Amino acid sequence: MPRSAVTIALANQKGGVAKTTSTVNLGVALKARGRRVLAVDLDPQSNLSMSQGIDIESLRVGMYDVLLGNAPMKEIIHTREIDIAVAGIELAGAELALSSTIGRERALERAIDTVKSNYDYILIDTPPSLGLLTINSMVAAQGVIVPVQCEYLSLRGLAQLRETLAQIREHLNPGVDILGILPTMYDGRTVHGRDALAVMRENFGPLLFRTRVGKTIRFAEAPVEGMSVIKFDPSGQGARWYKRLANEVIDRVEGETKKAAA
Ligand SMILES: Nc1ncnc2c1ncn2[C@@H]1O[C@H](COP(=O)(O)OP(=O)(O)O)[C@@H](O)[C@H]1O
Ligand SMILES: [Mg+2]
């Protein structure tokens, strides 16, 4: 039986929590472990595409055209450190354009189905909202990774995210669940950072990844050069954190598959 990709959405309606950073660096780290990886840019801000050095001004087609059925997914995949399904600014109009179509929540799932057999992992970077694009990502996915900044106020939106996910499970995709909560921008030197992590541990128990992504300026520097942190600073902490996360993701995803087969 040909293996087919496991699809994972990285979602949190709060901006600036490291969704895009985590999509790129987890993707590159999974590739370093020999997995075939596609990252899908589903944010009209195109940060994922840009962070891999793609000139979005020159794009003729992107995810917008794919979601509306006007271009095949294969045609908008660019190969960089990993494969990237690119997005340009016109994706901002996709929610409105999709909203009047039948099967509007499944447009991404249909597109991903056409390339699934080429990959082991498909990671979806989502915009900072729980709108139709993010819903499409959760309908297409088996797992959701929720990056959460280790600050007390960041925890507040998570109940709403879980409620949206519960609705999607009930009506659209019974198979989707949270794969893990990822603490980001953790500063263990501050009481606030340690307290926020303790609260997350209480709330999420085993859903919390053991990996904590700390703070480093490398995460801001690398995308300017069109690189992941893993390529930009291979021996740095940033690379180490995301390699550790990739190991945990592989354990959670492929460990389950092995159990199911046994
Ligand atoms: N662990 C980190 N430490 C320091 N800065 C980070 C870290 N992760 C991300 N950043 C920076 O924070 C900002 C937001 O990250 P980003 O991945 O774009 O978040 P999102 O996609 O959730 O909006 C970016 O400028 C990024 O470079
Ligand atoms: Mg982003």
Side-chain angles (χ1 to χ4, degrees), residues 11 13 106 130 134-135 137-139 141-144 146 157-179 207:
Q13 73 272 32
R106 298 198 182 277
L130 293 171
T134 300
I135 289 171
S137 81
M138 290 175 172
V139 171
Q142 286 96 64
V144 178
V146 188
L158 294 186
Q160 202 187 346
L161 188 147
R162 293 180 101 171
E163 177 54 29
T164 301
L165 196 60
Q167 298 260 335
I168 289 171
R169 234 191 333 268
E170 191 177 329
H171 299 289
L172 293 160
N173 180 11
V176 68
D177 214 336
I178 292 183
L179 179 65
L207 271 186

Side-chain angles (χ1 to χ4, degrees), residues 4 11 17 32 37 51 84-86 225 235-236 249:
S4 172
V17 298
V37 179
S51 74
I84 309 282
V86 299
E225 305 300 325
S235 58
V249 167

Side-chain angles (χ1 to χ4, degrees), residues 77-248:
I77 294 175
H78 294 226
T79 299
R80 293 295 186 270
E81 285 175 73
I82 50 179
D83 281 8
I84 309 282
V86 299
I89 181 66
E90 65 288 345
L91 188 58
E95 298 208 337
L96 187 60
L98 274 178
S99 65
S100 58
T101 65
I102 293 186
R104 61 192 174 176
E105 294 100 348
R106 298 198 182 277
L108 180 63
E109 180 185 40
R110 283 194 299 269
I112 283 181
D113 277 345
T114 65
V115 297
K116 239 181 166 170
S117 60
N118 302 335
Y119 298 100
D120 299 308
Y121 286 90
I122 298 178
L123 307 179
I124 309 166
D125 184 27
T126 63
S129 85
L130 293 171
L132 193 49
L133 287 170
T134 300
I135 289 171
N136 261 270
S137 81
M138 290 175 172
V139 171
Q142 286 96 64
V144 178
I145 292 178
V146 188
V148 179
Q149 202 176 339
C150 292
E151 284 186 2
Y152 198 69
L153 287 177
S154 303
L155 305 174
R156 295 179 51 126
L158 294 186
Q160 202 187 346
L161 188 147
R162 293 180 101 171
E163 177 54 29
T164 301
L165 196 60
Q167 298 260 335
I168 289 171
R169 234 191 333 268
E170 191 177 329
H171 299 289
L172 293 160
N173 180 11
V176 68
D177 214 336
I178 292 183
L179 179 65
I181 311 266
L182 176 67
T184 64
M185 304 183 205
Y186 175 64
D187 187 349
R189 293 167 309 180
T190 66
V191 175
H192 182 82
R194 290 195 302 272
D195 282 355
L197 189 67
V199 171
M200 286 166 79
R201 217 178 264 127
E202 263 166 47
N203 274 280
F204 305 119
L207 271 186
L208 201 67
F209 284 114
R210 287 189 307 276
T211 307
R212 292 170 295 208
V213 177
K215 280 187 190 163
T216 151
I217 192 66
R218 296 284 176 266
F219 287 113
E221 293 169 346
V224 180
E225 305 300 325
M227 290 181 209
S228 68
V229 151
I230 294 168
K231 184 171 180 195
F232 182 70
D233 184 22
S235 58
Q237 289 178 306
R240 208 161 57 235
W241 292 321
Y242 278 100
K243 284 180 180 167
R244 205 177 286 159
L245 177 64
N247 292 341
E248 270 197 85

Side-chain angles (χ1 to χ4, degrees), residues 16 18-21 43 45 47-48 125-128:
K19 289 181 290 296
T20 303
T21 303
D43 184 352
Q45 295 177 76
N47 289 348
L48 174 75
D125 184 27
T126 63

